[in-house]
Protein backbone atom coordinates (compact mmCIF):
# COMPACT_ATOMS: atom_id res chain seq x y z
CA UNK A 1 0.00 0.00 0.00
CA UNK A 2 2.93 2.38 0.46
CA UNK A 3 3.19 2.86 -3.25
CA UNK A 4 5.26 6.01 -3.04
CA UNK A 5 8.09 4.08 -1.39
CA UNK A 6 8.18 1.40 -4.05
CA UNK A 7 10.41 1.59 -7.11
CA UNK A 8 8.56 2.65 -10.21
CA UNK A 9 6.72 -0.34 -11.60
CA UNK A 10 6.19 -1.30 -15.21
CA UNK A 11 4.82 1.38 -17.54
CA UNK A 12 1.32 0.09 -16.83
CA UNK A 13 -0.56 2.44 -14.55
CA UNK A 14 0.05 1.72 -10.93
CA UNK A 15 -3.22 0.38 -9.55
CA UNK A 16 -2.65 2.13 -6.27
CA UNK A 17 -2.62 5.47 -7.99
CA UNK A 18 -6.33 5.20 -8.58
CA UNK A 19 -6.72 5.92 -4.91
CA UNK A 20 -4.91 9.19 -5.21
CA UNK A 21 -5.75 12.57 -6.62
CA UNK A 22 -7.03 12.02 -10.13
CA UNK A 23 -4.36 13.16 -12.58
CA UNK A 24 -6.95 14.81 -14.78
CA UNK A 25 -8.75 17.98 -13.91
CA UNK A 26 -7.34 21.39 -13.13
CA UNK A 27 -4.19 21.64 -11.11
CA UNK A 28 -5.97 22.54 -8.08
CA UNK A 29 -6.38 24.53 -5.01
CA UNK A 30 -6.25 22.28 -1.97
CA UNK A 31 -9.46 20.76 -0.65
CA UNK A 32 -9.06 22.41 2.68
CA UNK A 33 -8.12 25.93 3.58
CA UNK A 34 -8.21 25.87 7.36
CA UNK A 35 -8.71 29.07 9.26
CA UNK A 36 -5.76 30.39 11.23
CA UNK A 37 -4.97 28.46 14.37
CA UNK A 38 -2.99 29.22 17.46
CA UNK A 39 -1.22 25.90 17.36
CA UNK A 40 2.15 25.58 15.71
CA UNK A 41 2.83 22.34 13.82
CA UNK A 42 3.44 19.52 16.22
CA UNK A 43 1.62 21.06 19.15
CA UNK A 44 -1.63 19.44 20.33
CA UNK A 45 -4.66 20.62 18.38
CA UNK A 46 -7.00 18.37 20.32
CA UNK A 47 -5.99 17.48 23.85
CA UNK A 48 -8.21 14.95 25.61
CA UNK A 49 -7.28 14.81 29.26
CA UNK A 50 -8.61 12.17 31.64
CA UNK A 51 -12.17 12.30 30.28
CA UNK A 52 -14.90 10.19 31.86
CA UNK A 53 -18.55 10.08 30.94
CA UNK A 54 -21.59 8.35 32.38
CA UNK A 55 -25.09 7.71 31.08
CA UNK A 56 -26.84 7.52 34.44
CA UNK A 57 -24.98 4.79 36.32
CA UNK A 58 -23.37 3.35 33.22
CA UNK A 59 -19.86 4.55 32.54
CA UNK A 60 -19.25 4.92 28.78
CA UNK A 61 -15.82 6.58 28.95
CA UNK A 62 -13.18 5.90 31.57
CA UNK A 63 -10.20 8.23 32.03
CA UNK A 64 -9.51 8.74 28.33
CA UNK A 65 -6.33 10.66 27.62
CA UNK A 66 -4.80 11.33 24.22
CA UNK A 67 -3.75 14.20 22.01
CA UNK A 68 -3.90 14.93 18.30
CA UNK A 69 -1.19 17.23 17.03
CA UNK A 70 -1.61 19.70 14.23
CA UNK A 71 -1.50 17.96 10.88
CA UNK A 72 -1.82 14.54 12.43
CA UNK A 73 -4.29 11.84 11.37
CA UNK A 74 -5.47 9.67 14.23
CA UNK A 75 -7.65 6.63 13.60
CA UNK A 76 -9.86 5.45 16.46
CA UNK A 77 -11.00 1.84 16.26
CA UNK A 78 -12.50 -0.75 18.54
CA UNK A 79 -15.48 -3.08 18.88
CA UNK A 80 -18.97 -1.60 18.76
CA UNK A 81 -20.01 -0.10 22.04
CA UNK A 82 -16.44 0.68 22.99
CA UNK A 83 -17.15 4.42 23.23
CA UNK A 84 -15.19 5.59 20.21
CA UNK A 85 -18.05 7.58 18.63
CA UNK A 86 -18.93 9.02 22.02
CA UNK A 87 -15.34 10.13 22.51
CA UNK A 88 -15.11 12.10 19.28
CA UNK A 89 -18.55 13.62 19.88
CA UNK A 90 -17.15 14.96 23.14
CA UNK A 91 -14.52 16.86 21.18
CA UNK A 92 -17.07 19.31 19.73
CA UNK A 93 -19.38 19.04 22.73
CA UNK A 94 -22.14 17.18 20.92
CA UNK A 95 -21.95 14.92 23.95
CA UNK A 96 -21.32 16.34 27.42
CA UNK A 97 -18.83 14.65 29.72
CA UNK A 98 -18.70 14.73 33.48
CA UNK A 99 -15.01 14.55 34.27
CA UNK A 100 -11.75 15.64 32.68
CA UNK A 101 -10.96 18.25 30.12
CA UNK A 102 -10.84 18.60 26.34
CA UNK A 103 -9.00 21.46 24.69
CA UNK A 104 -9.34 22.29 21.00
CA UNK A 105 -6.76 24.75 19.69
CA UNK A 106 -6.37 26.19 23.16
CA UNK A 107 -10.10 26.50 23.87
CA UNK A 108 -11.60 24.46 26.71
CA UNK A 109 -14.67 22.63 25.43
CA UNK A 110 -16.35 22.15 28.79
CA UNK A 111 -15.80 25.69 30.00
CA UNK A 112 -19.10 27.51 30.52
CA UNK A 113 -17.65 30.67 29.02
CA UNK A 114 -16.72 28.97 25.76
CA UNK A 115 -18.79 30.08 22.79
CA UNK A 116 -19.74 26.59 21.64
CA UNK A 117 -21.32 27.50 18.27
CA UNK A 118 -18.13 29.37 17.38
CA UNK A 119 -15.92 26.49 18.49
CA UNK A 120 -18.05 23.97 16.59
CA UNK A 121 -17.95 26.04 13.44
CA UNK A 122 -14.16 25.53 13.45
CA UNK A 123 -14.43 21.76 13.99
CA UNK A 124 -15.74 19.93 10.94
CA UNK A 125 -17.74 16.79 11.55
CA UNK A 126 -18.83 14.01 9.21
CA UNK A 127 -21.47 11.54 10.37
CA UNK A 128 -22.12 7.89 9.68
CA UNK A 129 -25.50 8.67 8.11
CA UNK A 130 -24.34 11.80 6.24
CA UNK A 131 -27.07 13.97 7.79
CA UNK A 132 -27.43 16.28 4.85
CA UNK A 133 -30.51 18.46 5.22
CA UNK A 134 -33.06 16.67 2.99
CA UNK A 135 -35.23 19.71 2.22
CA UNK A 136 -32.34 21.81 0.89
CA UNK A 137 -30.54 21.53 -2.42
CA UNK A 138 -26.89 20.51 -2.36
CA UNK A 139 -25.93 24.15 -2.92
CA UNK A 140 -28.05 25.26 0.03
CA UNK A 141 -26.70 22.45 2.20
CA UNK A 142 -23.21 23.78 1.51
CA UNK A 143 -24.00 27.46 2.06
CA UNK A 144 -26.49 27.46 4.98
CA UNK A 145 -23.99 27.42 7.85
CA UNK A 146 -21.49 29.62 6.00
CA UNK A 147 -24.15 32.31 5.83
CA UNK A 148 -25.86 31.85 9.20
CA UNK A 149 -22.78 31.09 11.31
CA UNK A 150 -19.87 32.77 9.54
CA UNK A 151 -21.96 35.61 8.14
CA UNK A 152 -20.72 35.19 4.59
CA UNK A 153 -22.74 36.72 1.80
CA UNK A 154 -24.83 34.51 -0.44
CA UNK A 155 -22.58 34.78 -3.49
CA UNK A 156 -19.43 34.09 -1.51
CA UNK A 157 -20.99 31.11 0.28
CA UNK A 158 -22.36 29.59 -2.92
CA UNK A 159 -19.05 30.09 -4.74
CA UNK A 160 -17.12 28.48 -1.91
CA UNK A 161 -19.58 25.58 -1.82
CA UNK A 162 -19.39 25.02 -5.56
CA UNK A 163 -15.60 25.10 -5.53
CA UNK A 164 -15.53 22.37 -2.89
CA UNK A 165 -18.21 20.43 -4.70
CA UNK A 166 -16.02 20.45 -7.77
CA UNK A 167 -13.10 19.17 -5.75
CA UNK A 168 -15.13 16.17 -4.54
CA UNK A 169 -16.29 15.62 -8.13
CA UNK A 170 -19.95 16.49 -7.74
CA UNK A 171 -20.36 19.92 -9.31
CA UNK A 172 -22.96 18.60 -11.75
CA UNK A 173 -25.22 17.71 -8.83
CA UNK A 174 -25.32 21.15 -7.22
CA UNK A 175 -29.01 21.75 -7.97
CA UNK A 176 -30.18 18.33 -6.75
CA UNK A 177 -31.55 17.29 -3.38
CA UNK A 178 -29.72 14.85 -1.10
CA UNK A 179 -32.32 12.14 -1.67
CA UNK A 180 -31.40 12.12 -5.36
CA UNK A 181 -27.76 11.19 -4.69
CA UNK A 182 -26.19 7.85 -3.82
CA UNK A 183 -24.83 7.25 -0.35
CA UNK A 184 -21.24 7.77 -1.43
CA UNK A 185 -22.13 11.01 -3.18
CA UNK A 186 -24.04 12.23 -0.14
CA UNK A 187 -21.08 11.54 2.10
CA UNK A 188 -18.74 13.45 -0.23
CA UNK A 189 -21.17 16.38 -0.11
CA UNK A 190 -21.19 16.10 3.67
CA UNK A 191 -17.39 16.32 3.72
CA UNK A 192 -17.54 19.35 1.42
CA UNK A 193 -20.16 20.93 3.70
CA UNK A 194 -17.85 20.56 6.68
CA UNK A 195 -14.85 21.90 4.73
CA UNK A 196 -16.81 24.95 3.59
CA UNK A 197 -16.51 26.28 7.15
CA UNK A 198 -12.67 26.31 6.90
CA UNK A 199 -12.32 23.95 9.86
CA UNK A 200 -9.05 23.63 11.74
CA UNK A 201 -9.72 19.95 12.47
CA UNK A 202 -12.04 17.33 11.00
CA UNK A 203 -13.83 14.63 12.95
CA UNK A 204 -15.15 11.57 11.12
CA UNK A 205 -17.64 9.29 12.86
CA UNK A 206 -17.62 5.99 10.94
CA UNK A 207 -17.93 7.82 7.61
CA UNK A 208 -18.11 4.67 5.49
CA UNK A 209 -20.05 2.29 7.74
CA UNK A 210 -23.44 3.05 6.20
CA UNK A 211 -22.23 2.80 2.60
CA UNK A 212 -22.57 0.04 0.06
CA UNK A 213 -19.17 -1.58 -0.43
CA UNK A 214 -18.66 -0.17 -3.90
CA UNK A 215 -19.04 3.38 -2.59
CA UNK A 216 -16.55 3.16 0.24
CA UNK A 217 -13.62 3.89 -2.07
CA UNK A 218 -14.86 7.21 -3.39
CA UNK A 219 -15.30 8.56 0.13
CA UNK A 220 -11.95 7.24 1.35
CA UNK A 221 -10.27 8.86 -1.68
CA UNK A 222 -11.47 12.27 -0.56
CA UNK A 223 -10.34 11.59 3.01
CA UNK A 224 -6.91 10.40 1.87
CA UNK A 225 -6.50 13.55 -0.18
CA UNK A 226 -7.49 15.66 2.79
CA UNK A 227 -5.01 13.86 5.03
CA UNK A 228 -2.19 14.36 2.54
CA UNK A 229 -2.94 18.07 2.45
CA UNK A 230 -2.16 18.20 6.13
CA UNK A 231 -5.63 18.41 7.66
CA UNK A 232 -5.74 17.46 11.32
CA UNK A 233 -8.13 14.53 11.49
CA UNK A 234 -9.67 12.21 14.07
CA UNK A 235 -11.32 9.32 12.31
CA UNK A 236 -13.47 6.63 13.88
CA UNK A 237 -13.43 3.80 11.36
CA UNK A 238 -12.98 0.12 10.77
CA UNK A 239 -11.21 0.76 7.47
CA UNK A 240 -7.80 -0.55 8.38
CA UNK A 241 -6.60 0.03 4.83
CA UNK A 242 -7.22 3.73 5.33
CA UNK A 243 -5.43 3.61 8.67
CA UNK A 244 -2.40 1.89 7.12
CA UNK A 245 -2.31 4.38 4.32
CA UNK A 246 -2.61 7.77 6.01
CA UNK A 247 -2.86 7.45 9.78
CA UNK A 248 -0.03 8.64 11.97
CA UNK A 249 -1.44 6.97 15.06
CA UNK A 250 -4.05 4.39 15.86
CA UNK A 251 -6.08 4.43 19.04
CA UNK A 252 -7.76 1.21 20.10
CA UNK A 253 -10.69 1.49 22.50
CA UNK A 254 -12.56 -1.18 24.39
CA UNK A 255 -15.27 -0.82 27.05
CA UNK A 256 -14.85 2.95 27.22
CA UNK A 257 -11.10 2.88 27.75
CA UNK A 258 -8.21 3.77 25.50
CA UNK A 259 -6.40 0.44 25.53
CA UNK A 260 -3.77 1.27 22.97
CA UNK A 261 -2.48 4.53 21.53
CA UNK A 262 0.38 3.73 19.22
CA UNK A 263 2.13 4.72 16.04
CA UNK A 264 0.62 2.99 13.06
CA UNK A 265 3.63 0.77 12.47
CA UNK A 266 3.67 -0.37 16.07
CA UNK A 267 -0.07 -0.96 16.10
CA UNK A 268 -0.19 -3.07 12.97
CA UNK A 269 3.18 -4.67 13.69
CA UNK A 270 2.55 -5.95 17.17
CA UNK A 271 -0.26 -4.56 19.23
CA UNK A 272 0.73 -4.75 22.83
CA UNK A 273 -2.64 -5.62 24.27
CA UNK A 274 -4.35 -8.93 23.83
CA UNK A 275 -7.68 -7.24 23.19
CA UNK A 276 -6.30 -5.25 20.29
CA UNK A 277 -4.72 -8.39 18.85
CA UNK A 278 -8.04 -10.20 19.03
CA UNK A 279 -9.85 -7.26 17.43
CA UNK A 280 -7.37 -7.01 14.60
CA UNK A 281 -7.40 -10.72 13.90
CA UNK A 282 -11.18 -10.64 13.75
CA UNK A 283 -11.51 -7.73 11.32
CA UNK A 284 -8.48 -8.51 9.20
CA UNK A 285 -9.14 -12.23 8.79
CA UNK A 286 -11.60 -11.78 5.92
CA UNK B 1 -94.21 10.24 8.86
CA UNK B 2 -96.17 13.35 8.21
CA UNK B 3 -93.63 15.78 6.87
CA UNK B 4 -94.09 18.56 4.40
CA UNK B 5 -91.04 18.56 2.15
CA UNK B 6 -90.31 21.99 0.80
CA UNK B 7 -86.98 22.40 -0.95
CA UNK B 8 -88.03 25.85 -2.08
CA UNK B 9 -87.81 27.07 1.51
CA UNK B 10 -84.28 28.40 0.98
CA UNK B 11 -85.64 31.15 -1.25
CA UNK B 12 -88.27 32.28 1.25
CA UNK B 13 -87.53 35.36 3.30
CA UNK B 14 -86.43 34.60 6.82
CA UNK B 15 -88.32 36.30 9.63
CA UNK B 16 -85.15 38.10 10.65
CA UNK B 17 -85.74 40.41 7.70
CA UNK B 18 -82.15 40.25 6.43
CA UNK B 19 -82.77 38.13 3.37
CA UNK B 20 -83.70 34.56 2.48
CA UNK B 21 -83.01 31.43 4.48
CA UNK B 22 -80.17 30.71 2.03
CA UNK B 23 -78.63 34.07 2.89
CA UNK B 24 -78.91 33.17 6.55
CA UNK B 25 -77.10 29.85 6.09
CA UNK B 26 -74.38 31.45 3.98
CA UNK B 27 -73.81 34.12 6.62
CA UNK B 28 -73.43 31.25 9.12
CA UNK B 29 -70.96 29.57 6.82
CA UNK B 30 -68.98 32.79 6.60
CA UNK B 31 -68.73 33.04 10.40
CA UNK B 32 -67.71 29.39 10.58
CA UNK B 33 -64.88 29.98 8.14
CA UNK B 34 -63.69 33.23 9.69
CA UNK B 35 -63.75 31.74 13.19
CA UNK B 36 -61.88 28.64 12.03
CA UNK B 37 -59.19 30.64 10.23
CA UNK B 38 -58.59 33.05 13.11
CA UNK B 39 -58.50 30.20 15.64
CA UNK B 40 -56.04 28.33 13.41
CA UNK B 41 -53.62 31.26 13.37
CA UNK B 42 -53.52 31.17 17.18
CA UNK B 43 -53.40 27.37 17.27
CA UNK B 44 -50.54 27.17 14.79
CA UNK B 45 -48.46 29.85 16.51
CA UNK B 46 -48.93 28.63 20.07
CA UNK B 47 -48.87 24.98 19.04
CA UNK B 48 -45.54 25.37 17.27
CA UNK B 49 -43.95 27.11 20.26
CA UNK B 50 -45.31 24.58 22.76
CA UNK B 51 -44.37 21.65 20.54
CA UNK B 52 -40.80 22.97 20.28
CA UNK B 53 -40.65 23.51 24.06
CA UNK B 54 -41.39 19.83 24.58
CA UNK B 55 -38.39 18.82 22.45
CA UNK B 56 -35.81 21.18 23.99
CA UNK B 57 -33.10 19.74 26.26
CA UNK B 58 -34.18 22.05 29.10
CA UNK B 59 -36.33 20.29 31.70
CA UNK B 60 -38.07 23.55 32.61
CA UNK B 61 -39.07 24.17 28.98
CA UNK B 62 -40.41 20.63 28.71
CA UNK B 63 -42.43 21.07 31.90
CA UNK B 64 -44.04 24.28 30.63
CA UNK B 65 -44.91 22.58 27.33
CA UNK B 66 -46.33 19.51 29.07
CA UNK B 67 -48.43 21.63 31.43
CA UNK B 68 -49.95 23.54 28.53
CA UNK B 69 -50.84 20.44 26.55
CA UNK B 70 -52.31 18.54 29.48
CA UNK B 71 -54.35 21.53 30.62
CA UNK B 72 -55.91 22.34 27.26
CA UNK B 73 -56.47 18.89 25.84
CA UNK B 74 -57.89 17.25 28.96
CA UNK B 75 -60.82 19.61 29.50
CA UNK B 76 -63.78 19.18 27.11
CA UNK B 77 -64.03 21.91 24.51
CA UNK B 78 -67.59 22.72 25.57
CA UNK B 79 -66.46 23.26 29.17
CA UNK B 80 -63.61 25.45 27.95
CA UNK B 81 -66.09 27.57 25.96
CA UNK B 82 -68.18 28.10 29.07
CA UNK B 83 -65.11 28.85 31.17
CA UNK B 84 -63.89 31.54 28.78
CA UNK B 85 -67.34 33.03 28.18
CA UNK B 86 -69.18 32.80 31.51
CA UNK B 87 -66.52 32.26 34.18
CA UNK B 88 -63.53 34.35 33.06
CA UNK B 89 -65.33 37.75 33.11
CA UNK B 90 -66.48 37.03 36.69
CA UNK B 91 -63.05 36.11 38.08
CA UNK B 92 -61.24 39.04 36.48
CA UNK B 93 -61.10 42.44 38.21
CA UNK B 94 -64.53 44.00 37.85
CA UNK B 95 -63.67 46.66 35.28
CA UNK B 96 -62.00 44.12 32.99
CA UNK B 97 -64.97 41.76 33.34
CA UNK B 98 -67.39 44.50 32.43
CA UNK B 99 -65.27 45.46 29.43
CA UNK B 100 -65.27 41.83 28.28
CA UNK B 101 -69.01 41.48 28.68
CA UNK B 102 -69.69 44.64 26.72
CA UNK B 103 -67.33 43.76 23.91
CA UNK B 104 -69.24 43.76 20.60
CA UNK B 105 -69.05 40.32 18.98
CA UNK B 106 -67.94 38.82 22.30
CA UNK B 107 -69.02 35.30 21.24
CA UNK B 108 -66.80 35.53 18.17
CA UNK B 109 -63.68 36.68 20.04
CA UNK B 110 -64.26 34.16 22.79
CA UNK B 111 -64.75 31.33 20.31
CA UNK B 112 -61.56 32.27 18.43
CA UNK B 113 -59.44 32.42 21.57
CA UNK B 114 -60.94 29.31 23.15
CA UNK B 115 -60.74 27.20 20.02
CA UNK B 116 -57.26 28.54 19.25
CA UNK B 117 -55.89 27.59 22.67
CA UNK B 118 -57.62 24.19 22.58
CA UNK B 119 -56.42 23.30 19.08
CA UNK B 120 -52.92 24.56 19.95
CA UNK B 121 -52.52 21.68 22.40
CA UNK B 122 -53.24 19.23 19.61
CA UNK B 123 -51.00 21.05 17.12
CA UNK B 124 -48.23 21.02 19.76
CA UNK B 125 -48.41 17.24 19.95
CA UNK B 126 -48.17 16.97 16.17
CA UNK B 127 -45.18 19.33 16.05
CA UNK B 128 -43.43 17.41 18.82
CA UNK B 129 -44.07 14.10 17.04
CA UNK B 130 -42.76 15.57 13.79
CA UNK B 131 -39.54 16.81 15.38
CA UNK B 132 -38.99 13.54 17.22
CA UNK B 133 -39.56 11.57 14.03
CA UNK B 134 -36.48 13.18 12.48
CA UNK B 135 -33.19 11.29 12.73
CA UNK B 136 -31.26 12.34 15.85
CA UNK B 137 -28.30 13.14 13.63
CA UNK B 138 -30.11 16.06 11.97
CA UNK B 139 -30.01 18.10 15.16
CA UNK B 140 -26.39 17.03 15.68
CA UNK B 141 -25.45 18.01 12.14
CA UNK B 142 -26.91 21.48 12.58
CA UNK B 143 -25.26 21.88 15.97
CA UNK B 144 -21.91 20.58 14.70
CA UNK B 145 -21.90 23.19 11.94
CA UNK B 146 -22.15 25.89 14.59
CA UNK B 147 -25.84 26.73 14.23
CA UNK B 148 -27.43 27.84 17.48
CA UNK B 149 -30.38 25.86 18.86
CA UNK B 150 -32.80 28.46 17.49
CA UNK B 151 -31.14 28.37 14.06
CA UNK B 152 -31.16 24.57 14.03
CA UNK B 153 -34.91 24.59 14.64
CA UNK B 154 -35.58 27.37 12.17
CA UNK B 155 -33.52 26.08 9.25
CA UNK B 156 -33.27 22.32 9.80
CA UNK B 157 -35.75 20.71 12.20
CA UNK B 158 -38.99 22.63 11.69
CA UNK B 159 -38.99 22.70 7.86
CA UNK B 160 -38.68 18.92 7.89
CA UNK B 161 -41.06 18.36 10.79
CA UNK B 162 -43.84 20.44 9.17
CA UNK B 163 -43.50 18.40 5.99
CA UNK B 164 -43.90 15.17 7.93
CA UNK B 165 -46.95 16.32 9.87
CA UNK B 166 -48.83 17.95 7.02
CA UNK B 167 -51.36 15.08 6.69
CA UNK B 168 -52.28 14.91 10.40
CA UNK B 169 -52.29 18.71 10.55
CA UNK B 170 -54.95 18.65 7.83
CA UNK B 171 -57.06 16.52 10.16
CA UNK B 172 -56.46 19.00 12.95
CA UNK B 173 -57.56 21.84 10.72
CA UNK B 174 -60.73 19.97 9.79
CA UNK B 175 -61.44 19.27 13.47
CA UNK B 176 -60.85 22.92 14.20
CA UNK B 177 -63.33 23.89 11.50
CA UNK B 178 -66.00 21.50 12.73
CA UNK B 179 -65.41 22.43 16.36
CA UNK B 180 -66.54 25.98 15.62
CA UNK B 181 -70.07 24.55 15.93
CA UNK B 182 -69.56 24.21 19.69
CA UNK B 183 -69.50 28.01 19.82
CA UNK B 184 -73.24 28.10 19.12
CA UNK B 185 -73.63 27.45 22.84
CA UNK B 186 -72.15 30.87 23.60
CA UNK B 187 -74.20 32.57 20.92
CA UNK B 188 -71.94 32.58 17.87
CA UNK B 189 -74.21 32.63 14.80
CA UNK B 190 -72.18 30.14 12.81
CA UNK B 191 -73.49 27.53 10.37
CA UNK B 192 -74.95 25.05 12.87
CA UNK B 193 -76.61 27.85 14.84
CA UNK B 194 -78.11 29.19 11.64
CA UNK B 195 -79.43 25.79 10.61
CA UNK B 196 -81.07 25.47 14.01
CA UNK B 197 -82.76 28.85 13.79
CA UNK B 198 -83.96 28.03 10.29
CA UNK B 199 -85.49 24.87 11.70
CA UNK B 200 -87.15 26.77 14.51
CA UNK B 201 -88.57 29.45 12.24
CA UNK B 202 -89.72 27.23 9.40
CA UNK B 203 -90.03 23.72 10.88
CA UNK B 204 -88.14 22.45 7.80
CA UNK B 205 -85.63 20.48 9.90
CA UNK B 206 -84.52 18.07 7.17
CA UNK B 207 -83.88 20.77 4.58
CA UNK B 208 -82.03 22.95 7.06
CA UNK B 209 -79.65 20.26 8.26
CA UNK B 210 -79.22 18.70 4.81
CA UNK B 211 -78.02 22.10 3.62
CA UNK B 212 -75.71 22.50 6.63
CA UNK B 213 -74.27 19.01 6.11
CA UNK B 214 -73.57 19.66 2.45
CA UNK B 215 -71.96 23.01 3.19
CA UNK B 216 -69.69 21.44 5.84
CA UNK B 217 -68.68 18.68 3.45
CA UNK B 218 -68.00 21.12 0.61
CA UNK B 219 -65.84 23.41 2.71
CA UNK B 220 -63.91 20.43 4.09
CA UNK B 221 -63.33 19.13 0.57
CA UNK B 222 -61.82 22.50 -0.28
CA UNK B 223 -59.51 22.16 2.72
CA UNK B 224 -58.46 18.67 1.69
CA UNK B 225 -57.75 19.88 -1.84
CA UNK B 226 -55.64 22.78 -0.62
CA UNK B 227 -53.75 20.44 1.71
CA UNK B 228 -53.02 18.10 -1.20
CA UNK B 229 -51.67 21.04 -3.19
CA UNK B 230 -49.45 22.07 -0.27
CA UNK B 231 -48.16 18.53 0.05
CA UNK B 232 -47.14 18.47 -3.60
CA UNK B 233 -45.74 22.00 -3.46
CA UNK B 234 -43.45 21.18 -0.52
CA UNK B 235 -42.59 17.61 -1.43
CA UNK B 236 -38.85 17.00 -1.21
CA UNK B 237 -37.44 15.55 -4.44
CA UNK B 238 -35.79 12.16 -4.08
CA UNK B 239 -37.79 11.08 -1.04
Amino acid sequence: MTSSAMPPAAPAPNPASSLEVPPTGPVTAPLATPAATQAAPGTPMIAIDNVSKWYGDFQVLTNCTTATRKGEVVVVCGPSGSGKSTLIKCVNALEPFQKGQITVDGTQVANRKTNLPKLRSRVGMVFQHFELFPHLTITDNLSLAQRKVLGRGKDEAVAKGLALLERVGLKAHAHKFPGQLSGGQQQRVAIARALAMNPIVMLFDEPTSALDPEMVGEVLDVMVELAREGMTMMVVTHEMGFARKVANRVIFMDKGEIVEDAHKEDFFGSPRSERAQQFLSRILSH
Amino acid sequence: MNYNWNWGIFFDLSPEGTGTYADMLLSGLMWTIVTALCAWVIAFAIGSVVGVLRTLPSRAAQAVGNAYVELFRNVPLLVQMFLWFFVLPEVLPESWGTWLKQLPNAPFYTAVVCLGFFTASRVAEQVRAGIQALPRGQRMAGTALGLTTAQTYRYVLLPNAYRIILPPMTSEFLNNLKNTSVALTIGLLELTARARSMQEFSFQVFEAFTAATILYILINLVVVTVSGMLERRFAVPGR
Side-chain angles (χ1 to χ4, degrees), chain A residues 199-210:
Chain A
I200 54 170
V201 296
M202 286 284 288
L203 308 174
F204 293 83
D205 184 11
E206 304 206 29
T208 57
S209 302

Side-chain angles (χ1 to χ4, degrees), chain A residues 117 120 131-132 134-135 148 177 179, chain B residues 138 143-144 151 155 160 236 238:
Chain A
R120 288 175 179 134
E131 305 301 351
L132 296 179
H135 63 300
K148 302 301 170 192
F177 287 81
Chain B
Q138 287 282 300
T143 308
Q151 286 174 326
Y155 298 111
N160 283 303
V236 171

